[in-house]
Amino acid sequence: DVKVTQSSRYLVKRTGEKVFLECVQDMDHENMFWYRQDPGLGLRLIYFSYDVKMKEKGDIPEGYSVSREKKERFSLILESASTNQTSMYLCASSHRQEGRTQYFGPGTRLLVL
Amino acid sequence: AQSVTQLDSHVSVSEGTPVLLRCNYSSSYSPSLFWYVQHPNKGLQLLLKYTSAATLVKGINGFEAEFKKSETSFHLTKPSAHMSDAAEYFCVVSEGGYNKLIFGAGTRLAVHP
């Protein structure tokens, strides 16, 4: 069965803290993605990776960075958390081929105080 | 650039009546289109996808969608709503290489007894 897991379901951090969100997939997928979800805006792509150590900016990369040292793991890093980064963060993965289904993790709800 | 417009932010139906969630897309070439569903406090689940085969696509839980190129639409329908269908639904288009997804803003479906 397809599985994408995220390290935390809920997280509370203070402004200025460095925050790590971890995502692991067990499907040997090449592509991995980080989105944030906000009411009325749908999901917006932050960063994605199409291979180990490769990364590409999405639509809203400012204030974020990512790391992909192993194929199954993709980390999202908030270098200095700010209140406007309070959101739901969703990780997804897919096979490389265009049009292939993305499989999503359960999400991490982050609150920055 | 590709984009997706979900024409209704909220839809309310009675149990047992038909469901129609409307989606229009813009794409410079033949797109891959998806509908995802998100139940409260859950991750996104694929309902169905269109990838240039049959224009009428059947998905899980009795949902289906019809790809109409002339109208650039991909509306989601179900003949008879069930209480468990209450959720948020996202229309999605796949863009170019790396299987990037562009999400609509979402439609929240409420089902009343």
Side-chain angles (χ1 to χ4, degrees):
Chain A
D1 201 14
V2 165
K3 194 100 180 199
V4 180
T5 56
Q6 295 183 230
S7 51
S8 307
R9 291 300 304 273
Y10 301 95
L11 214 50
V12 180
K13 296 292 181 181
R14 298 215 172 267
T15 302
E17 280 192 75
K18 191 169 186 175
V19 181
F20 292 87
L21 303 182
E22 304 284 338
C23 175
V24 177
Q25 50 93 5
D26 65 357
M27 297 163 284
D28 201 36
H29 285 165
E30 297 86 1
N31 300 332
M32 295 189 74
F33 306 82
W34 275 107
Y35 297 88
R36 65 176 281 174
Q37 182 181 9
D38 300 289
L41 297 177
L43 275 71
R44 292 178 292 165
L45 182 64
I46 304 171
Y47 267 97
F48 67 99
S49 168
Y50 53 89
D51 205 346
V52 175
K53 297 192 184 296
M54 306 305 290
K55 60 184 179 183
E56 292 285 339
K57 292 181 180 179
D59 300 317
I60 52 164
E62 297 78 18
Y64 303 94
S65 62
V66 290
S67 173
R68 186 138 181 232
E69 296 297 318
K70 294 184 178 182
K71 189 175 186 180
E72 68 271 16
R73 188 178 297 269
F74 191 35
S75 302
L76 180 69
I77 303 154
L78 287 65
E79 296 289 344
S80 177
S82 63
T83 54
N84 63 11
Q85 292 178 310
T86 290
S87 187
M88 169 73 91
Y89 291 87
L90 290 160
C91 174
S93 70
S94 73
H95 281 299
R96 176 169 294 152
Q97 192 176 335
E98 184 185 347
R100 297 298 294 270
T101 301
Q102 284 191 20
Y103 295 91
F104 285 82
T108 296
R109 191 168 291 281
L110 173 66
L111 173 63
V112 182
L113 300 174
Chain B
Q2 293 177 305
S3 65
V4 176
T5 302
Q6 291 184 243
L7 298 168
D8 307 291
S9 59
H10 291 84
V11 170
S12 182
V13 301
S14 298
E15 192 175 19
T17 64
V19 175
L20 170 64
L21 305 183
R22 298 181 295 163
C23 172
N24 287 117
Y25 69 92
S26 70
S27 174
S28 56
Y29 57 96
S30 186
S32 294
L33 293 160
F34 306 78
W35 277 97
Y36 280 85
V37 60
Q38 186 179 36
H39 288 93
N41 299 313
K42 297 282 180 65
L44 272 77
Q45 180 184 20
L46 180 70
L47 268 183
L48 51 82
K49 67 178 180 180
Y50 166 78
T51 53
S52 74
T55 57
L56 183 62
V57 182
K58 294 189 184 300
I60 62 171
N61 300 333
F63 284 93
E64 61 181 38
E66 187 171 7
F67 173 70
K68 292 187 176 181
K69 187 174 182 179
S70 60
E71 298 175 11
T72 61
S73 69
F74 191 56
H75 301 334
L76 182 70
T77 60
K78 183 174 181 177
S80 176
H82 191 272
M83 297 296 289
S84 61
D85 294 328
E88 188 153 26
Y89 292 79
F90 293 95
C91 183
V92 184
V93 63
S94 177
E95 177 183 77
Y98 306 126
N99 199 23
K100 287 173 60 178
L101 298 183
I102 307 299
F103 281 77
T107 298
R108 188 166 296 279
L109 175 66
V111 182
H112 302 288

